[in-house]
Amino acid sequence: MKRIIVLMAILASVSIPAAISQNNKCDAITSRVSETLSKGGGVSLHFVSTTTAGNRLIQEMAGNIKIKGKKFVMHSSVMDMGYDGKTAWSYIKGSDEVNLTEPTEEELVTINPYILLSNYKKIYKAEYKGKKEGCYIISFTPVSVNSDIKNATVSVDSERHYPTRLEIVNRDASKTVINISKYESAGKTDDSIFSFSKKNYPNAEIIDLR
């Protein structure tokens, strides 16, 4: 699942007094965004993601993802994917297969930013890097040396409080860059959209890996 896609870490910012410690700065930012991602109908993001290894393009895709707390549903040019709080499903376009899994929290961290923001202290060390070109910058470094991710850097618009860019460097030297072009409230969201529905993929073979 990690190799298919690494989704963006969604961060927003609040005014942070200079006297507040480094850890408290990160806590203030992540707490604010965790609340944003879990209240109401959640958020909707439009993104373009590019994964490279050196000068070689591995994958490029554009799409939209709706997030409501731990739950999410994504539709992109490469695949559709969702998580209803227990079961994750993924459909790679052209494969005629839907995979059903029950992912671990570590796997979800790389897909849904709410998991990262609400539990990041268990897995990552966060560092506030300051402000650059109208954006706050936060760096995440995994605590475990066995993590597939080496580090991640997130840029957050300091006025509109939405993420503009996420860069993830993996330990295999591959890199994923996600640019977000639009951020908005998802409005009233029916939780059924996060669950797999056979009627949306009537001809697909279901592979149950739970």
Side-chain angles (χ1 to χ4, degrees), residues 140 142 147-153 166-177:
F140 288 91
S147 173
D148 290 339
I149 296 175
K150 185 176 180 180
N151 60 67
T153 303
L166 169 64
E167 181 175 308
I168 299 170
V169 178
N170 298 308
R171 293 195 183 279
D172 64 3
S174 64
K175 180 171 70 173
T176 296
V177 175

Side-chain angles (χ1 to χ4, degrees), residues 72-161:
F72 71 89
V73 61
M74 182 196 74
H75 299 286
S76 77
S77 54
V78 174
M79 68 181 298
D80 296 338
M81 191 174 190
Y83 178 67
D84 61 11
K86 180 180 180 181
T87 300
W89 59 272
S90 59
Y91 173 75
I92 300 176
K93 295 182 178 180
S95 70
D96 289 328
E97 292 180 353
V98 172
N99 290 301
L100 302 179
T101 62
E102 290 186 357
T104 64
E105 185 172 283
E106 184 178 2
E107 289 172 329
L108 286 174
V109 162
T110 64
I111 301 168
N112 183 354
Y114 176 82
I115 306 297
L116 169 63
L117 295 171
S118 61
N119 297 287
Y120 80 89
K121 290 182 179 180
K122 297 179 182 179
I123 304 173
Y124 294 93
K125 177 182 178 181
E127 182 179 1
Y128 177 68
K129 307 294 285 187
K131 188 176 180 181
K132 182 179 180 181
E133 298 178 353
C135 291
Y136 291 116
I137 311 297
I138 292 182
S139 175
F140 288 91
T141 303
V143 174
S144 173
V145 296
N146 296 318
S147 173
D148 290 339
I149 296 175
K150 185 176 180 180
N151 60 67
T153 303
V154 182
S155 301
V156 182
D157 188 286
S158 61
E159 292 185 2
R160 297 185 61 193
H161 302 163

Side-chain angles (χ1 to χ4, degrees), residues 43-62:
V43 298
S44 177
L45 303 165
H46 295 269
F47 67 91
V48 175
S49 172
T50 303
T51 300
T52 58
N55 296 322
R56 181 169 60 91
L57 176 65
I58 297 177
Q59 184 185 76
E60 185 174 36
M61 65 179 178

